[in-house]
Amino acid sequence: MTAGSRTKQQVDAALAAVEDADASDADKAQMLMEIAMGLQQNPRAAADLVAAVDLYRKSLTLVPPGEALAAARIRARMATALMAVPSEDAAEMKQAKAEITVALATLTAEGSDAEIAEAEMNLGLICQTLAGMRIMPIQPAISAYQRALRVFDKKAYPKEFAILQNNLATAFLSMPFTDEASKMREALAVAAFEEGLSVVTLIDQPVEYAMLQNNLGNALQYVSSSHRVENGYRALDAYDEALKVRTERDMPEEYANTIANKANCLSNLPDDPENPEAGNPRNIMTAIGLLREAQAIFRSRGAMDKAAAVAESVAELSAALAPHSAFRSSSEH
């Protein structure tokens, strides 16, 4: 039995059970929403997410007139399911934006502050994804994140605050760096990553801690600054912090992403900071080794686009190392 047919059987059984239940339409709507949430939280295949969306839609049809807040909560959940559906176009993401926008109109009037902030955060993610597809500008995503931060402050909601700071920073970095404000946006991005790191710890929020450290490293690598080498070493420290969580055993693909980022950083740093004119063949050799390790992991996990990109970097660095062939030979023995 395929994953899709198994999911259909489960959904049909759930619908039949709800239909037969001795309950009000409002209760049935709630039951369907909870079944959809279960599918969404632990999807085994894309079919589970599609089924969750269908259940949310069915749930909406059962919400009694006048229960606007209940309908808004279902729409907000449905938007998050639509966001997660794998797709080659923007149809689901556009639909998600429409649903969360309708939901927010009611949540803003009748929902709790935390519900509103969560919906704003998801709206920001949707807008940021659509901006990445060049369908809309990035500014609406930044505005949504900033509205969410009015509630998700660092003291009461440290985890959400950290995620929002990460999202804000990546939004700043996605903006075109062609105008005079680009350096300011880079500085804002680095500050946002550091602000997020001020409220999460390696012990209590390891996943968010590693994500922020990895992304801080990326920002430091590419920031326009006269302190390029200093920022490079700060980036290396950030990657090493991320790798305390992103191990090959526990998070192989994230581990490969981070060591590839670290390799890129190393390849642009001098072997001796006190004598940068001497070049960096040693760092390039280390970078090639890290990239080959990342490439093997990407291949083993079927991430062929990433494997191909890393292979290109290996080829470029190997060519850069060619003038240092004597160094390379001595290092390999």
Side-chain angles (χ1 to χ4, degrees):
M1 183 185 298
T2 65
S5 60
R6 184 168 55 244
T7 299
K8 185 178 185 307
Q9 281 189 0
Q10 291 174 334
V11 169
D12 288 346
L15 286 169
V18 170
E19 187 69 30
D20 292 341
D22 183 14
S24 67
D25 282 350
D27 288 340
K28 289 180 178 180
Q30 180 69 23
M31 291 163 66
L32 286 177
M33 184 179 78
E34 289 173 359
I35 295 167
M37 288 169 60
L39 281 171
Q40 182 183 348
Q41 287 166 2
N42 296 293
R44 291 171 296 181
D48 288 0
L49 294 167
V50 174
V53 171
D54 290 342
L55 285 171
Y56 285 128
R57 291 198 189 286
K58 176 66 175 175
S59 176
L60 271 176
T61 67
L62 294 172
V63 176
E67 296 284 342
L69 184 57
R73 287 169 174 160
I74 294 169
R75 288 187 188 279
R77 294 286 182 191
M78 179 163 57
T80 62
L82 284 162
M83 288 166 62
V85 174
S87 176
E88 294 183 0
D89 59 34
E92 282 79 10
M93 204 60 64
K94 288 179 178 178
Q95 207 173 343
K97 183 174 181 291
E99 296 293 350
I100 202 80
T101 301
V102 172
L104 266 166
T106 299
L107 290 173
T108 302
E110 301 181 34
S112 68
D113 288 346
E115 282 180 315
I116 298 166
E118 183 181 359
E120 291 283 14
M121 184 162 68
N122 287 326
L123 174 61
L125 282 169
I126 293 165
C127 291
Q128 189 165 357
T129 302
L130 289 170
M133 297 176 177
R134 301 182 183 278
I135 290 171
M136 64 182 296
I138 192 66
Q139 284 83 359
I142 292 172
S143 297
Y145 294 143
Q146 289 172 332
R147 290 193 297 270
L149 280 168
R150 295 173 190 165
V151 176
F152 287 156
D153 60 58
K154 63 166 62 178
K155 186 174 181 181
Y157 296 91
K159 184 175 178 179
E160 289 82 359
F161 176 84
I163 292 170
L164 279 166
Q165 292 294 341
N166 178 78
N167 294 350
L168 261 179
T170 55
F172 285 135
L173 291 172
S174 72
M175 297 174 79
F177 279 60
T178 53
D179 58 26
E180 293 182 0
S182 61
K183 286 189 178 181
M184 175 63 73
R185 290 198 295 272
E186 289 176 329
L188 286 171
V190 170
F193 285 130
E194 290 175 335
E195 185 73 1
L197 282 165
S198 73
V199 298
V200 296
T201 66
L202 176 63
I203 302 301
D204 294 330
Q205 296 94 5
V207 173
E208 289 77 17
Y209 178 84
M211 173 187 69
L212 283 161
Q213 291 285 10
N214 177 77
N215 292 345
L216 172 61
N218 292 344
L220 287 167
Q221 262 201 83
Y222 300 111
V223 70
S224 301
S225 170
S226 57
H227 307 289
R228 186 182 64 81
V229 173
E230 179 185 330
N231 284 339
Y233 283 106
R234 285 178 63 198
L236 288 182
D237 289 340
Y239 293 135
D240 286 341
E241 285 299 308
L243 289 169
K244 291 178 180 178
V245 178
R246 295 183 166 192
T247 63
E248 184 177 2
R249 184 193 68 183
D250 296 334
M251 304 175 74
E253 199 155 339
E254 290 85 352
Y255 169 81
N257 284 333
T258 299
I259 63 171
N261 293 336
K262 182 177 178 180
N264 187 70
C265 186
L266 269 172
S267 70
N268 290 297
L269 289 174
D271 286 346
D272 181 0
E274 303 299 322
N275 184 23
E277 293 79 13
N280 63 344
R282 185 175 291 106
N283 280 346
I284 290 179
M285 281 291 294
T286 304
I288 289 172
L290 288 170
L291 289 169
R292 285 176 173 156
E293 183 182 359
Q295 183 182 12
I297 293 169
F298 287 139
R299 279 179 175 167
S300 70
R301 298 184 64 78
M304 303 313 292
D305 288 349
K306 289 183 178 181
V310 169
E312 286 183 18
S313 296
V314 169
E316 290 171 7
L317 290 180
S318 297
L321 196 61
H324 304 276
S325 55
F327 174 87
R328 180 172 57 186
S329 297
S330 64
S331 298
E332 291 174 348
H333 289 295

